């Protein structure tokens, strides 16, 4: 074989090798969401983004203590998901805002661990109850039966504005701003500009009555599917929501339909393994 032919052969083999490396890397990234089945260990620093906002929550065998500390083993065993799609505001750098979350469940609760880097924490209710959406907060959108549809002043779906003060704020059927604190338990811890919010959320169907103390939560089970999105409203002391960053690429008109229309939510599939 002449030198030229040998060189060409080597070149072809090199391209084939690079191609196969790329493929195997892609495979790890795609399968990392179903890490347990694939027995793929979670890579340090891996955060999965889901343009369509469709996530999985894994069942915890251990009781989760809502204390803002992710010490429970499930939190070490499930992947981080991104909540960095820009819904509103200017592009931010990672010291101003960067967010990710994990999901888990048992029969009574959806658990969420949210880690947010925020350079300035502006308490949610600084400007009063009716400006709750202007302060820093985590917004959790839940549509228990994934029916979709309008939910602005009804409870077929919820847009919980989880406040820095520990409240879960939404609108009532009479268009008032109300606290639904029994529905969402939250604790937050801080290390520097990194905040960890741990939440336990009860799911309710459309029969939820905001004036009753006797609402019965819906039981969660394997393979149940709900409507879900999560976002962070970032105010850095300028008296307004400077950024709104979410878990799904698009969230309706101006990415601001979530508090009105549950059609735009992504989803959670509850799985055991
Ligand atoms: Ca905990
Ligand atoms: Ca910020
Ligand atoms: Ca619904
Ligand atoms: Ca802030």
């Amino acid at each position: 074989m002449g030198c030229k032919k040998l060189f060409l052969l080597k070149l072809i083999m090199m391209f084939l090798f690079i191609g196969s490396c790329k493929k195997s890397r892609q495979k790890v990234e795609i399968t990392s969401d179903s890490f347990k089945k694939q027995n793929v260990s979670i890579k340090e620093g891996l955060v999965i983004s889901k343009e369509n906002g469709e996530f999985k929550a894994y069942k915890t065998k251990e009781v989760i203590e809502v204390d803002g500390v992710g010490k429970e083993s499930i939190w070490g065993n499930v992947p981080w998901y991104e909540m960095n799609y820009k819904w509103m505001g200017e592009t931010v750098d990672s010291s101003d805002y960067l967010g990710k979350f994990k999901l888990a469940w048992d029969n009574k609760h959806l658990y969420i661990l949210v880690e947010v880097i925020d350079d300035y924490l502006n308490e949610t209710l600084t400007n009063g109850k009716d400006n709750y959406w202007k302060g820093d907060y985590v917004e959790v959108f839940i549509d228990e039966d994934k029916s979709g549809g309008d939910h602005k002043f009804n409870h077929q779906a919820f847009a919980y504005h989880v406040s820095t003060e520990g409240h879960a704020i939404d609108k009532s059927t009479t268009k008032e701003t109300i606290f639904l604190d029994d529905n969402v338990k939250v604790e937050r811890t801080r290390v520097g500009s990194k905040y960890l919010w741990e939440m336990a959320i009860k799911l309710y169907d459309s029969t939820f009555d905001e004036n009753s103390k006797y609402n019965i939560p819906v039981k969660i089970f394997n393979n149940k599917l709900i409507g879900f999105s999560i976002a962070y409203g970032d105010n850095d002391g300028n008296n307004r929501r400077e950024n709104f960053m979410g878990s799904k690429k698009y969230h309706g008109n101006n990415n601001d339909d979530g508090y009105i229309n549950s059609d735009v939510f992504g989803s959670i599939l509850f799985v055991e393994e």
Side-chain angles (χ1 to χ4, degrees), residues 47-65:
V47 186
I48 300 168
S49 57
K50 293 275 189 169
E51 204 171 292
N52 58 12
E54 293 174 2
F55 304 100
K56 279 181 188 167
Y58 292 90
K59 191 174 188 183
T60 177
K61 292 185 176 82
E62 184 186 352
V63 173
I64 291 187
E65 186 187 353

Side-chain angles (χ1 to χ4, degrees), residues 64-72 75 198:
I64 291 187
E65 186 187 353
V66 179
D67 56 1
V69 183
K71 64 183 181 303
E72 293 82 4
W75 294 137
E198 193 174 34

Side-chain angles (χ1 to χ4, degrees), residues 53-273:
E54 293 174 2
F55 304 100
K56 279 181 188 167
Y58 292 90
K59 191 174 188 183
T60 177
K61 292 185 176 82
E62 184 186 352
V63 173
I64 291 187
E65 186 187 353
V66 179
D67 56 1
V69 183
K71 64 183 181 303
E72 293 82 4
S73 63
I74 189 82
W75 294 137
N77 289 328
V78 297
W80 285 111
Y81 292 121
E82 298 246 18
M83 44 190 284
N84 294 310
Y85 288 111
K86 189 178 75 179
W87 287 357
M88 288 178 206
E90 301 297 314
T91 300
V92 284
D93 68 49
S94 59
S95 64
D96 184 342
Y97 167 83
L98 191 67
K100 56 186 181 180
F101 65 99
K102 294 186 176 199
L103 300 168
W105 65 281
D106 61 21
N107 295 129
K108 291 182 177 168
H109 299 97
L110 160 66
Y111 297 97
I112 312 178
L113 190 70
V114 183
E115 186 189 290
V116 165
I117 291 170
D118 185 0
D119 51 349
Y120 179 91
L121 192 82
N122 194 83
E123 300 290 345
T124 313
L125 299 174
T126 302
N127 295 317
K129 198 171 169 182
D130 281 322
N131 288 310
Y132 61 94
W133 55 275
K134 286 185 183 171
D136 281 335
Y137 67 96
V138 178
E139 188 158 347
V140 183
F141 303 88
I142 306 257
D143 178 7
E144 177 277 325
D145 61 352
K146 211 178 183 305
S147 60
D150 172 85
H151 71 95
K152 194 174 181 185
F153 301 119
N154 67 67
H155 300 309
Q156 72 79 9
F158 295 86
Y160 294 118
H161 300 68
V162 182
S163 87
T164 57
E165 299 89 353
H167 298 296
I169 307 164
D170 200 3
K171 289 289 185 188
S172 72
T173 54
T174 53
K175 306 183 183 181
E176 303 290 318
T177 299
I178 54 168
F179 293 157
L180 298 169
D181 293 353
D182 188 51
N183 300 19
V184 180
K185 185 171 168 32
V186 58
E187 288 295 336
R188 192 181 71 253
T189 56
R190 173 187 182 179
V191 178
S193 62
K194 194 183 279 185
Y195 298 86
L196 203 59
W197 305 57
E198 193 174 34
M199 301 178 197
I201 301 177
K202 292 179 197 161
L203 305 188
Y204 289 98
D205 64 20
S206 58
T207 63
F208 180 82
D209 177 357
E210 67 212 20
N211 298 310
S212 171
K213 286 192 171 81
Y214 304 103
N215 292 293
I216 299 169
V218 171
K219 210 174 162 190
I220 303 175
F221 52 85
N222 189 32
N223 277 327
K224 182 175 172 61
L225 184 70
I226 65 167
F228 165 86
S229 294
I230 186 165
Y232 189 80
D234 188 14
N235 173 327
D236 290 333
N238 296 311
N239 209 21
R240 64 191 175 90
R241 181 166 63 185
E242 289 151 52
N243 286 97
F244 198 28
M245 311 290 286
S247 57
K248 183 173 181 260
K249 190 164 186 185
Y250 302 110
H251 226 232
N253 294 322
N254 303 315
N255 294 311
D256 196 25
D257 273 351
Y259 75 104
I260 299 169
N261 183 359
S262 57
D263 285 346
V264 302
F265 297 2
S267 64
I268 295 175
L269 177 67
F270 295 99
V271 293
E272 296 231 17
E273 288 295 335

